[in-house]
Amino acid sequence: MTDRPRIHLYDTTLRDGAQTQGVDFTAADKAAIARELDALGIDYIEGGWPGANPTDDAFFADPPLLKRARLTAFGMTRRPGRSAGNDPGLNALFNATDRVPGAGVCLVGKTWDFHVDVALNIPRGENLDLIRDSVAETAARGREPLFDAEHFFDGYKANPDYALACVRGAYEGGARWIVLCDTNGGSLPHEVEAIVAAVAREIPGDRLGIHCHNDTENAVANSLAAVRAGARMIQGTLNGLGERCGNANLISLIPTLTLKMGYDTGVDAEGMRRLVHVSRLLDDRLNRAPNRHAAYVGESAFAHKGGLHVSAVEKDPTSYEHVPPESVGNRRHVVVSDQAGRSNVLARLREVGIAIEPNDPRVGALVEAVKRREFEGYAYDGAEASFELLARRTLGTLPDYFRLISFRVLDERRWNAKGDLVTLSEATAKLEVPGVADALMTVAEGNGPVNALDTALRKALIPAYPHLDGMRLVDYKVRILTPQDGTKAVTRVMIETRMPDGAPWVTVGVSANVIDASFNALFDSITYCLYRAGATVPAA
């Protein structure tokens, strides 16, 4: 990779990404994510803004040990009326990075004359001094200086001479990187390419970076346009985190630059195969579901649903895949739905380890069963566990672990003696388990009818099937399939279940009764857990 043009990667997830609504990193979160970024091969990791909040102060007070990346602190140029050596904000950055060998300091400064006039309310020439002095002081303190040219593209459109004077001042002050920021996120790729090319005629491209926001859904495209025009550093975030609509997404930029455009990003083949892991680790830290449709790393990025597509992919994956999924740590996935043909079903059966001849009549029966049940409201393209169970039942290879005789669910809403509102659900389940002489009946309470029913079912089954111990529901979704019928509508329930040490699985249930639909999904979830655990039916 060393003979290819080098693009440096600057991650600002821990600072700019932390401005995402609903995101609140702890210092421990930041350290863990920084270590993952370092292992991935990122060149710069922006840890935060020391002095701005306690979390960033705690992070820099005990910075993670990085092997490859340069840890960088973010701040702003000196204040008007202060010297760079006597500015509290700059000194906070220098003090925070004292214990970080080779640290960088990224300074943001105004480059739009409108902001200089209105926000800073100082002469434009004085703003040039702020930039030049701050960058020079950073270099003199032994830090690698970077300059974020805030609102550069808006500034250039309004007054190109002044915007260029600002970045020229940072360059003359000794900035290693001058980063052109599309802070409002309103620029388009053709504008970015033309403006970066103009700047590159005055400042070498190997000193230029790009920082794009995603307010027109063009942050990635704008970053690539800047690279085409000569920029050699990209700032972005994992999964496109960032305020408003987010920042340029490094998870999609890295493989595009490497696999599509032939650049060396510092992320080697092993690092590329970690992209899915890193993307999902961030989502786990944020306690949110990964975007199934994310480019390269989403669960659906290499999913094939249409029968014609699957037939072609079976012959040659490049017919419908732009890169090999394993190159980015992902996998090919064949989806089964009412659009499925025999190719989809056969491919999906192979994925789950079911060997069957293509001309076996049971394949046709399974295809028709899928189409019939999806017409009734089932959705197997998002409930792969339920499809596998349907397939194994059709093929006669699924044991009958238990049989439900009946269940009953009661909900109570009342005020207790203290005047507090109390809601409680109680479920009674009656089951038959092979090898157990008498029917089993259990009662359980829960914080909702589905939780109570799940608890009652497993309470009855765990003595015969200890494999279920530790199984827990992690997501529950309800969709009304016939909204015109109001409260009488047919309902689809999707349940995601996980064991403590395993990957989750999704099951589906459909009924005009939401509790019955929930039981259908629960029944599949429990059955799938037992089958994957290799449970055997107790002897009679």
Side-chain angles (χ1 to χ4, degrees):
M1 298 175 69
T2 55
D3 60 341
R4 300 194 288 174
R6 181 70 156 88
I7 303 297
H8 295 261
L9 302 175
Y10 184 109
D11 181 274
T12 181
T13 302
L14 306 183
R15 201 271 308 173
D16 230 357
Q19 298 184 48
T20 308
Q21 192 171 13
V23 170
D24 187 18
F25 293 126
T26 65
D29 288 331
K30 288 194 169 201
I33 294 167
R35 285 189 286 268
E36 288 290 338
L37 291 167
D38 184 47
L40 185 63
I42 300 298
D43 297 294
Y44 293 85
I45 299 172
E46 189 173 80
W49 189 332
N53 59 75
T55 300
D56 288 356
D57 290 342
F59 174 79
F60 279 99
D62 185 20
L65 180 63
L66 304 179
K67 297 179 179 178
R68 294 191 283 183
R70 185 187 297 271
L71 187 61
T72 303
F74 180 87
M76 61 187 295
T77 55
R78 70 169 174 86
R79 300 174 188 176
R82 290 269 192 173
S83 67
N86 193 35
D87 183 82
L90 286 179
N91 281 316
L93 300 178
F94 303 144
N95 292 336
T97 52
D98 266 343
R99 59 184 61 84
V100 183
V105 169
C106 185
L107 301 172
V108 62
K110 306 294 186 184
T111 60
W112 187 1
D113 57 1
F114 166 71
H115 273 209
V116 176
D117 298 342
V118 176
L120 292 182
N121 193 25
I122 61 174
R124 296 177 185 178
E126 185 177 353
N127 180 58
L128 299 178
D129 293 337
L130 302 185
I131 295 170
R132 188 181 298 105
D133 295 348
S134 301
V135 171
E137 181 69 19
T138 301
R141 296 290 190 102
R143 313 300 193 269
E144 181 176 291
L146 302 91
F147 177 67
D148 269 10
E150 187 182 28
H151 292 283
F152 180 80
F153 292 92
D154 293 309
Y156 187 92
K157 294 171 193 176
N159 187 339
D161 290 339
Y162 185 72
L164 283 171
C166 290
V167 296
R168 195 180 299 114
Y171 179 65
E172 293 168 355
R176 168 63 184 90
W177 293 105
I178 292 93
V179 184
L180 310 179
C181 302
D182 186 29
T183 312
N184 281 346
S187 298
L188 300 177
H190 68 281
E191 297 175 305
V192 170
E193 187 162 1
I195 292 172
V196 173
V199 177
R201 287 192 285 270
E202 299 209 17
I203 296 174
D206 63 0
R207 304 284 287 275
L208 287 179
I210 183 73
H211 177 115
C212 296
H213 284 255
N214 202 36
D215 297 73
T216 64
E217 198 65 38
N218 277 296
V220 168
N222 285 342
S223 301
L224 298 176
V227 168
R228 281 172 48 88
R232 288 297 176 261
M233 187 257 265
I234 292 179
Q235 290 191 358
T237 62
L238 296 179
N239 295 346
L241 287 186
E243 64 179 334
R244 303 190 312 275
C245 304
N247 287 38
N249 184 359
L250 287 180
I251 293 292
S252 52
L253 276 166
I254 291 168
T256 298
L257 289 164
T258 306
L259 301 178
K260 301 285 189 178
M261 300 176 71
Y263 290 104
D264 172 12
T265 61
V267 179
D268 59 18
E270 181 182 352
M272 293 279 288
R273 290 190 291 271
R274 291 175 55 86
L275 286 175
V276 170
H277 163 75
V278 173
S279 172
R280 294 180 186 174
L281 178 137
L282 178 68
D283 287 326
D284 285 344
R285 283 271 169 181
L286 298 176
N287 195 28
R288 67 181 193 178
N291 177 8
R292 293 183 63 92
H293 304 286
Y296 292 102
V297 298
E299 186 70 21
S300 298
F302 299 94
H304 306 284
K305 183 172 180 178
L308 288 175
H309 290 203
V310 175
S311 179
V313 167
E314 288 286 289
K315 296 171 183 174
D316 188 339
T318 59
S319 58
Y320 282 98
E321 292 177 353
H322 64 109
V323 298
E326 58 274 8
S327 66
V328 292
N330 212 333
R331 66 185 182 97
R332 183 173 302 113
H333 182 56
V334 175
V335 175
V336 175
S337 73
D338 63 352
Q339 299 183 37
R342 295 177 70 90
S343 296
N344 292 61
V345 169
L346 287 168
R348 183 68 185 125
L349 292 178
R350 282 195 296 273
E351 281 188 26
V352 299
I354 298 176
I356 189 170
E357 293 295 326
N359 58 356
D360 191 309
R362 293 175 296 177
V363 175
L366 181 56
V367 171
E368 292 307 312
V370 168
K371 293 184 177 182
R372 182 182 67 255
R373 289 171 70 85
E374 290 227 343
F375 179 77
E376 295 168 357
Y378 286 82
Y380 291 112
D381 61 346
E384 291 86 356
S386 281
F387 167 75
E388 183 178 341
L389 295 178
L390 175 63
R392 294 188 184 280
R393 288 188 186 107
T394 302
L395 301 177
T397 61
L398 185 68
D400 290 323
Y401 294 106
F402 67 98
R403 185 177 75 86
L404 177 76
I405 299 174
S406 65
F407 74 79
R408 180 178 60 189
V409 176
L410 300 175
D411 281 340
E412 181 183 12
R413 186 177 189 268
R414 59 181 172 81
W415 280 264
N416 63 18
K418 296 180 179 180
D420 298 326
L421 181 64
V422 176
T423 59
L424 186 67
S425 296
E426 179 184 290
T428 303
K430 192 173 183 180
L431 310 173
E432 285 183 348
V433 175
V436 179
D438 299 321
L440 303 172
M441 187 169 72
T442 55
V443 179
E445 293 180 340
N447 58 10
V450 178
N451 176 244
L453 182 57
D454 174 45
T455 303
L457 290 171
R458 286 192 284 144
K459 186 177 178 181
L461 292 170
I462 283 177
Y465 300 115
H467 319 72
L468 299 174
D469 192 23
M471 188 186 98
R472 62 187 179 93
L473 276 56
V474 295
D475 199 6
Y476 175 86
K477 296 185 179 74
V478 177
R479 180 177 176 186
I480 304 302
L481 301 179
T482 51
Q484 66 274 13
D485 292 335
T487 55
K488 298 180 180 179
V490 174
T491 304
R492 176 197 296 151
V493 169
M494 306 279 282
I495 289 178
E496 183 175 338
T497 313
R498 183 192 296 268
M499 294 297 285
D501 57 350
W505 62 91
V506 179
T507 53
V508 60
V510 172
S511 174
N513 182 300
V514 65
I515 304 301
D516 188 52
S518 301
F519 168 77
N520 292 335
L522 277 172
F523 179 83
D524 269 10
S525 182
I526 292 170
T527 302
Y528 186 80
C529 179
L530 293 173
Y531 186 84
R532 301 310 292 179
T536 57
V537 176

